[in-house]
Amino acid sequence: MIGVIQTVLLTAGLVSAASLQSVSGWGSNPSGIQMSIYVPDRLASKPPVIVALHGCGGTGQQMYSSSRFQTYADQYGFIMIYPSSNTKQGVACWDNHTPQSLTHNGGSDTQGIVQQVQYTLNKYNGDPNRVYAIGFSSGAMMTNNLAAAYPDVFEAGAPFAGVPAACFAGSGSSAPGASNMTCANGQVIKSAQDWGNYARNAYPGYTGRRTRMQIWHGSADSLVLPALFQEELKQWSNVLGVSLTSTNSNNPESGYTQYLYGDGKKLVGYMAAGAGHGGVPYHESMVLDFFGVLTTPATSTITTTRTTTATTTMSPTTTPRTTPATTTPPVSPGGSQSKWGQCGGVGWTGFTACSAPAACSTLNPYYAQCL
């Protein structure tokens, strides 16, 4: 009996040894964000990696304490990354509006997050084909933008109370109280094709597989209006090439409506009746099941010593599945802008005409693009 008790105590001690750790030296960090990581004591042989992104005013530590993903990480052996944005926008929001953040390898927050992923994959022999993102509010917006700009990195995403990729493009800010809140207010309405084009423009020339999406929103959200939920679904249905097959009430529970696209493996949405901003629980098991990480429990025990700070500098490059050339859209001769280039918006002083067959499409008062 004493031996059994000792075994139980040792096992419990092993489980509780893992904790959230601060990491430095993980990449060039173009926008000055921070990195925290949760590595369970037992890892899968090639562990999946999940990035969890906080909302405006939050931190990685706050995101860690407000969800239960780490308890599943203990059981299934995947790694959680909890980045923290800096305060360049005043309230620690993610950069969801600049061309740098909305472009593959363009810099800013999206590239910094991908550098954190690459560091983790390299250090822990992670599976580059099983990288995922989840986020709330500003973090949900970032989840959509990561899916658009880095589909070669993120296999699936789950945004809670987000907006379509590039919805804040050119707005000058993507924080609450910004001068241009047409996106968050649900006033940017586009066709599925247009939204798809904005997502594809984040990585011009990319032809690989696209990030699968599970989208969540509350019907009473007064900060990021519910209309954005349908715009997200329009965008990703076009990008993923799937159509709405059914709308199911009280799924997954009373008060929720499920929007099923195709067989639901690439795209599915859930609208929670009466839920406000932050009122939709993370539904961790459903998210992780959609990601595909709830498989064989972890069996490999970490033997490396835990430290509070990592100092090894890793390469900021990503591990793409395909490697088409990425270039900044050139300005065409003759006073017109090439496809994918900006062609208008408040403060824009460049060309407003587009080279045929592209046409200038207005996303919001601050940004128009040749599509």
Side-chain angles (χ1 to χ4, degrees):
M1 176 62 72
I2 293 177
V4 172
I5 293 174
Q6 289 176 332
T7 300
V8 171
L9 290 175
L10 286 172
T11 302
L14 188 64
V15 170
S16 62
S19 61
L20 191 66
Q21 302 290 317
S22 177
V23 183
S24 63
W26 41 264
S28 65
N29 194 7
S31 58
I33 63 176
Q34 298 176 2
M35 177 183 182
S36 296
I37 193 170
Y38 183 83
V39 182
D41 293 284
R42 295 186 303 155
L43 284 175
S45 58
K46 286 186 70 68
V49 175
I50 300 176
V51 178
L53 297 153
H54 65 77
C56 284
T59 63
Q61 291 79 5
Q62 174 268 330
M63 188 68 176
Y64 168 83
S65 62
S66 65
S67 63
R68 298 183 296 113
F69 289 105
Q70 60 271 19
T71 62
Y72 289 90
D74 287 333
Q75 182 177 358
Y76 293 97
F78 57 82
I79 298 171
M80 296 293 305
I81 299 174
Y82 294 92
S84 294
S85 64
N86 64 30
T87 57
K88 63 182 179 294
Q89 296 193 71
V91 287
C93 296
W94 295 103
D95 176 3
N96 288 299
H97 67 281
T98 69
Q100 292 77 19
S101 199
L102 299 179
T103 303
H104 182 85
N105 286 342
S108 196
D109 289 353
T110 54
Q111 189 170 28
I113 292 167
V114 169
Q115 289 176 3
Q116 294 183 3
V117 168
Q118 191 63 60
Y119 164 87
T120 303
L121 292 173
N122 291 341
K123 182 175 179 63
Y124 297 100
N125 191 33
D127 189 343
N129 295 307
R130 303 178 74 192
V131 177
Y132 312 93
I134 180 175
F136 163 66
S137 191
S138 180
M141 302 171 194
M142 177 56 64
T143 298
N144 278 293
N145 287 320
L146 287 169
Y150 294 92
D152 56 329
V153 175
F154 292 92
E155 203 278 327
F160 285 72
V163 304
C167 188
F168 272 99
S171 64
S173 175
S174 40
S179 59
N180 174 26
M181 291 300 290
T182 54
C183 174
N185 290 338
Q187 297 172 298
V188 181
I189 307 298
K190 294 290 177 182
S191 69
Q193 183 65 46
D194 282 345
W195 278 128
N197 286 340
Y198 284 115
R200 284 182 286 269
N201 177 46
Y203 193 172
Y206 176 75
T207 58
R209 70 107 182 95
R210 291 286 174 173
T211 308
R212 301 180 298 111
M213 299 295 283
Q214 185 187 74
I215 299 171
W216 300 78
H217 217 107
S219 70
D221 193 330
S222 59
L223 184 61
V224 181
L225 296 193
L228 277 307
F229 171 74
Q230 294 297 339
E231 299 306 295
E232 286 176 278
L233 291 174
K234 285 159 63 175
Q235 181 172 65
W236 294 112
S237 66
N238 180 265
V239 171
L240 293 164
V242 291
S243 300
L244 182 66
T245 53
S246 63
T247 303
N248 306 303
S249 300
N250 299 317
N251 186 321
E253 58 193 79
S254 178
Y256 283 75
T257 301
Q258 179 196 58
Y259 294 78
L260 192 69
Y261 286 76
D263 58 7
K265 294 180 179 179
K266 289 185 177 181
L267 177 63
V268 62
Y270 296 98
M271 175 67 80
H277 196 68
V280 181
Y282 284 119
H283 291 80
E284 288 91 344
S285 62
M286 287 186 62
V287 170
L288 296 174
D289 184 61
F290 180 78
F291 287 173
V293 300
L294 301 185
T295 54
T296 306
T299 57
S300 175
T301 301
I302 299 176
T303 57
T304 56
T305 302
R306 296 184 181 280
T307 58
T308 57
T309 303
T311 57
T312 303
T313 301
M314 307 301 293
S315 170
T317 58
T318 62
T319 307
R321 291 176 177 78
T322 61
T323 54
T326 302
T327 58
T328 302
V331 176
S332 298
S336 62
Q337 186 72 290
S338 294
K339 187 176 182 180
W340 306 122
Q342 184 173 358
C343 56
V346 175
W348 174 248
T349 59
F351 295 139
T352 57
C354 299
S355 299
C360 192
S361 175
T362 300
L363 178 65
N364 57 51
Y366 292 75
Y367 187 77
Q369 187 177 59
C370 291
L371 298 174

